[in-house]
Amino acid sequence: MRIWQESTKIGPRPGRMSPLGATFDGAGTNFAVFSEVAQLVELCLFDEDGTEERVPLREVDGFVHHIHLPDVGPGRRYGFRVHGPCRPERGERCNPNKLLLDPYAKAIEGEIHWDEALFPYRFGDVERRNDLDSAPYTAKSVVVNPYFDWGSDHPPRTPYHETVIYEAHVKGMTQTHPAIPEAIRGTYAALAHPAMVEYFVKLGVSAVELMPVHQFVQDHVLVQKGLSNYWGYNTIGFFAPHNAYCSSGQRGEQVQEFRSMVKSLHEAGIEVILDVVYNHTAEGNHLGPVLSFRGLDNAAYYRLSEQDPRFYWDTTGTGNSLRMNHPHTLQLIMDSLRYWVTEMHVDGFRFDLAATLARQFHEVERLSSFFDLVQQDPVISQVKLIAEPWDVGDGGYQVGNFPPLWTEWNGKYRDTVRDFWRGEGGTLGEFASRLTGSSDLYQSDGRRPYASVNFVTAHDGFTLRDLVSYDGKHNEANGEENRDGENHNRSWNCGVEGDTRDRDVLALRARQQRNLLATLLLSQGVPMLSHGDELGRTQHGNNNAYCQDGELAWIDWQNVSDGSELLDFTRRLITLRRDHPVFRRRRFFKGRVAQGRNTEGKDITWFTPAGREMNDTDWDTGFARSLMVHLNGMAITEPDLRGLRVADDSFLLLFNAHSEPLAFTLPEETGRWWAVEVDTAIPYTEYRPLIKGGSEVEVEARAMLVLRGHQDD
């Protein structure tokens, strides 16, 4: 370790308090870091041999400590040490023996090597201060080159109602793909590979939603078990792309590789949405390590217990929650979001446990400071904003309660669709609401059907194949004796738990997967597929694979054929949705004849299997598991984005969740002739003669039929 000697260097300059972080300007680097509690902040620079040089930051404006160093450029590793009070009982945890990551670091090198030196206390005695130096065991911030040739890159800006989201994991998506060079599998470069881009394009999705790519930490407890934080919901760097997903060993190269990935996907018309975790950090509770925020200004960044500031107020289940009513914490989040849009060109964000972001004090507040800031921000307000509308705190389930600018993961859609297809009674009314965009949740405040991001499965829970193959979770591999993960999955194993060779059970499971996919992709709102569901991916009953970085959680590309039945079925459904605006309306159905237009009846009509329009008694019948809906393509009243009125074909959707085949009578008033577009009882298309209105058509047990109106006699 060396102390900065001004006489042997080009003299440092005072620098600027903005922007925060390390900013290379071509002539040197400006360093700026916030800490209200610090008495002195030291910038620590690391040479190639690991020698540390400490530079005191003497200039302080608005609690921002800053300096400009002319001889420091891209690739230089650095960190901070903070001198100040260490009084946990008052929420103050400064300790200059802990090297701290820059909260604004654009790149981070290395990983956390778990050692006693990283913790604020000595093992075995939480009251004893730990002054061991953490520098040898922690990651380092890196100065990056901000310049990148974006060429003609521009955001696709796919309208919400035309969006189909594909949730993917950078590594799990690409780790075993045979067409991708082995050296780059599991990386940003792999997602940008032509084979992967072509797959997304042929599938028909318009956006890839990446599970966390902000720099995250491998949890100490998982490392001790020989496991890892595979999902990545353990952020330590809100500006830095996760370095383990970089194919290059060059320092800071993850930034450029991520940008190249975005550029490649944009060229194919595919948006990039990031799953972001601004509700907590990887530092955990009061027993957790000192890596960054805790050592810089604990009380500014974290929600502390009002009764005893030694402890953290936690609504995330991770040990801490960020303090959303502190201006510098809000600034950090807003600066991070803006950086990923302006400098990394991403197209939107999905906010993990977003209810925590609305907790300005204790209660969830729909109009908290965070949402006010987003609403007025000229950059962030223009991209896709998706909330996971719940957390684990009191009153944390907030589906339908986010501001109009936002869309939401619709957990009620997931639950209802699962219940309907597994044969639960009394679900018809709610199923109809979810199928048509959940107007009960979103219409009252002027939102549109696309406020609902519909999903049946996601990373958290069963895969689609497992949803129809297991009644209970099987998480033994996680090392928690199957105690972790959701217990109430609304799943059904179709008669046998897990793997089986029973052909009837396998046929039913395949049909159920097609039912769920067809319902999802033909519902109003924004559909989201979970990666690999279209390929029949299984986790063998594990519904909480957050710690499984291996074959259990990766897509098994070796056993996937491009012509597989389920993949082809999914592609056909996405194409059907794309080609017919009646499945992706911009406004809710009215359920009545449009005024002032020559339409042929109501925009939507619900029928019993007998072909009679449903009444209140029909909706309330607890044992009913079947219904029919007419979507009138001629009754689309809203103009498209070009201002043109768009008419479409009409469709009849016949749902039979009953355990026996059922005859449906096609209502004569809805059309003279009908062609079969989709039959979930079979995985492929086949020619069938036109069906005349008024006639009967049989729908297989637990199956769905999609009929398109035909004008021919």
Side-chain angles (χ1 to χ4, degrees):
M1 186 270 290
R2 298 193 300 258
I3 302 299
W4 183 262
Q5 299 291 327
E6 292 188 23
S7 61
T8 63
K9 304 278 185 180
I10 299 175
R13 299 169 184 170
R16 306 179 306 278
M17 64 178 293
S18 179
L20 291 165
T23 306
F24 176 67
D25 58 14
T29 300
N30 189 82
F31 294 90
V33 62
F34 161 77
S35 178
E36 185 173 350
V37 72
Q39 297 164 353
L40 172 68
V41 175
E42 292 179 306
L43 169 66
C44 304
L45 301 169
F46 292 86
D47 294 337
E48 292 299 324
D49 62 1
T51 301
E52 177 184 348
E53 192 162 7
R54 299 184 185 181
V55 186
L57 306 187
R58 304 294 185 188
E59 298 291 332
V60 184
D61 293 289
F63 304 115
V64 175
H65 307 247
H66 54 89
I67 195 171
H68 185 279
L69 299 178
D71 61 338
V72 174
R76 193 67 179 272
R77 295 176 299 163
Y78 72 98
F80 296 109
R81 296 182 187 272
V82 172
H83 298 259
C86 185
R87 294 174 291 194
E89 69 279 2
R90 298 179 59 175
E92 299 166 340
R93 293 182 176 272
C94 299
N95 188 336
N97 297 294
K98 310 305 174 187
L99 183 73
L100 307 175
L101 288 166
D102 181 0
Y104 279 72
K106 306 302 191 300
I108 292 173
E109 182 187 62
E111 59 183 359
I112 303 301
H113 298 281
W114 290 105
D115 185 87
E116 184 178 8
L118 295 167
F119 294 85
Y121 58 91
R122 298 304 295 267
F123 284 176
D125 187 355
V126 295
E127 300 298 328
R128 184 182 173 193
R129 172 173 160 146
N130 184 349
D131 286 332
L132 297 174
D133 184 11
S134 68
Y137 309 101
T138 195
K140 310 293 190 300
S141 306
V142 179
V143 179
V144 303
N145 185 344
Y147 307 108
F148 180 77
D149 182 9
W150 283 104
S152 59
D153 181 73
H154 62 278
R157 294 196 182 281
T158 306
Y160 265 122
H161 71 288
E162 296 179 3
T163 296
V164 178
I165 297 174
Y166 190 86
E167 185 193 35
H169 187 282
V170 172
K171 187 173 184 180
M173 190 76 199
T174 63
Q175 186 64 27
T176 71
H177 200 297
I180 297 175
E182 190 171 350
I184 67 169
R185 293 178 188 174
T187 69
Y188 306 121
L191 273 182
H193 189 274
M196 205 71 264
V197 176
E198 181 184 11
Y199 180 80
F200 293 136
V201 172
K202 289 180 67 176
L203 182 59
V205 298
S206 67
V208 175
E209 181 179 301
L210 298 179
M211 291 176 65
V213 296
H214 288 174
Q215 187 71 41
F216 60 85
V217 171
Q218 300 297 334
D219 309 61
H220 186 206
V221 64
L222 292 178
V223 172
Q224 288 179 316
K225 293 179 179 180
L227 301 171
S228 63
N229 192 317
Y230 171 65
W231 285 352
Y233 292 91
N234 203 32
T235 305
I236 198 61
F238 294 109
F239 293 77
H242 188 60
N243 54 30
Y245 296 155
C246 179
S247 64
S248 170
Q250 298 182 29
R251 188 175 299 154
E253 186 61 24
Q254 60 264 43
V255 178
Q256 307 296 40
E257 188 171 315
F258 183 93
R259 287 169 166 163
S260 295
M261 176 199 71
V262 173
K263 186 176 179 181
S264 294
L265 290 169
H266 279 182
E267 288 173 354
I270 297 172
E271 294 183 306
V272 178
I273 298 172
L274 301 188
D275 191 340
V276 290
V277 189
Y278 292 111
N279 51 74
H280 74 280
T281 80
E283 290 185 304
N285 62 18
H286 65 290
L287 301 178
V290 181
L291 305 176
S292 179
F293 309 91
R294 175 173 283 139
L296 282 164
D297 199 324
N298 186 56
Y301 283 116
Y302 292 119
R303 297 291 300 270
L304 304 180
S305 168
E306 295 177 354
Q307 290 73 32
D308 189 344
R310 290 178 301 173
F311 303 106
Y312 295 82
W313 193 63
D314 175 23
T315 60
T316 66
T318 64
N320 65 64
S321 301
L322 283 176
R323 183 179 172 184
M324 298 306 299
N325 64 348
H326 192 282
H328 275 279
T329 299
L330 287 170
Q331 180 186 357
L332 170 79
I333 296 173
M334 296 300 292
D335 286 349
S336 169
L337 292 169
R338 203 176 297 112
Y339 171 80
W340 285 97
V341 175
T342 60
E343 300 300 321
M344 307 296 270
H345 286 206
V346 304
D347 304 284
F349 306 93
R350 178 266 188 189
F351 293 81
D352 178 65
L353 299 182
T356 291
L357 304 178
R359 293 183 185 273
Q360 190 159 321
F361 296 99
H362 292 284
E363 297 79 16
V364 176
E365 301 180 41
R366 189 166 179 263
L367 298 177
S368 69
S369 298
F370 172 71
F371 296 107
D372 289 341
L373 291 172
V374 169
Q375 182 75 32
Q376 59 79 41
D377 190 276
V379 174
I380 304 170
S381 64
Q382 300 305 304
V383 302
K384 287 183 168 67
L385 302 171
I386 305 169
E388 182 185 36
W390 50 76
D391 64 16
V392 301
D394 291 339
Y397 193 77
Q398 293 291 319
V399 173
N401 292 330
F402 277 69
L405 187 66
W406 290 69
T407 61
E408 300 175 16
W409 271 27
N410 190 344
K412 292 186 177 181
Y413 179 96
R414 171 200 60 205
D415 296 345
T416 301
V417 171
R418 288 185 179 191
D419 278 347
F420 176 79
W421 281 115
R422 71 190 180 110
E424 287 292 300
T427 59
L428 291 188
E430 188 163 5
F431 179 75
S433 179
R434 304 299 157 241
L435 185 74
T436 54
S438 297
S439 60
D440 57 325
L441 299 176
Y442 304 114
Q443 189 173 25
S444 62
D445 58 3
R447 299 163 84 181
R448 302 288 182 87
Y450 48 75
S452 176
V453 175
N454 300 327
F455 65 105
V456 175
T457 61
H459 67 272
D460 189 2
F462 282 140
T463 66
L464 182 64
R465 177 174 165 181
D466 289 356
L467 184 67
V468 300
S469 303
Y470 294 90
D471 280 354
K473 63 186 181 181
H474 296 268
N475 298 353
E476 290 81 6
N478 295 354
E480 299 181 42
E481 298 181 351
N482 206 34
R483 292 190 299 266
D484 62 304
E486 177 61 52
N487 291 314
H488 185 43
N489 295 283
R490 292 180 161 89
S491 61
W492 178 47
N493 65 18
C494 298
V496 177
E497 186 74 355
D499 293 338
T500 181
R501 294 183 180 180
D502 187 310
R503 292 185 178 182
D504 291 338
V505 171
L506 292 175
L508 176 56
R509 289 177 178 178
R511 191 159 69 248
Q512 286 287 72
Q513 290 178 75
R514 293 191 291 269
N515 288 333
L516 293 163
L517 285 170
T519 304
L520 172 67
L521 289 166
L522 300 181
S523 292
Q524 305 298 321
V526 179
M528 186 189 77
L529 290 167
S530 181
H531 74 278
D533 275 354
E534 75 283 6
L535 302 169
R537 184 175 77 89
T538 179
Q539 292 177 169
H540 302 289
N542 191 316
N543 74 349
N544 190 33
Y546 77 103
C547 57
Q548 297 296 329
D549 186 3
E551 294 180 356
L552 180 71
W554 301 339
I555 291 180
D556 181 10
W557 289 102
Q558 300 294 337
N559 293 316
V560 170
S561 167
D562 185 63
S564 69
E565 292 179 344
L566 190 59
L567 174 59
D568 182 65
F569 183 79
T570 307
R571 287 172 174 165
R572 288 193 288 113
L573 286 169
I574 294 175
T575 300
L576 185 65
R577 179 185 182 87
R578 181 195 64 203
D579 292 347
H580 293 283
V582 75
F583 295 119
R584 45 180 177 81
R585 290 169 54 99
R586 294 175 56 236
R587 291 183 172 87
F588 288 105
F589 289 104
K590 300 295 184 182
R592 61 176 183 268
V593 177
Q595 298 298 315
R597 298 194 65 230
N598 183 24
T599 62
E600 299 180 0
K602 301 177 182 179
D603 56 3
I604 186 170
T605 311
W606 300 92
F607 296 94
T608 67
R612 174 177 50 80
E613 189 168 348
M614 292 182 69
N615 56 35
D616 291 343
T617 301
D618 297 320
W619 286 115
D620 294 336
T621 302
F623 60 82
R625 291 172 175 81
S626 304
L627 77 167
M628 177 167 42
V629 58
H630 176 240
L631 306 180
N632 188 350
M634 293 299 296
I636 298 178
T637 59
E638 74 267 20
D640 67 10
L641 296 181
R642 297 168 297 174
L644 302 175
R645 299 282 180 179
V646 179
D648 192 11
D649 294 326
S650 294
F651 288 83
L652 275 173
L653 277 58
L654 287 60
F655 298 91
N656 181 21
H658 188 53
S659 59
E660 299 292 335
L662 191 64
F664 282 73
T665 300
L666 306 187
E668 290 189 65
E669 64 267 31
T670 61
R672 294 188 62 184
W673 296 96
W674 298 92
V676 177
E677 287 288 323
V678 176
D679 184 354
T680 63
I682 55 176
Y684 47 84
T685 56
E686 63 176 20
Y687 172 77
R688 300 188 193 182
L690 295 178
I691 306 171
K692 188 175 182 179
S695 62
E696 283 191 352
V697 59
E698 185 175 86
V699 180
E700 180 61 74
R702 294 194 172 92
M704 172 181 171
L705 203 62
V706 179
L707 306 180
R708 179 171 57 86
H710 203 280
Q711 300 303 316
D712 293 343
D713 290 338

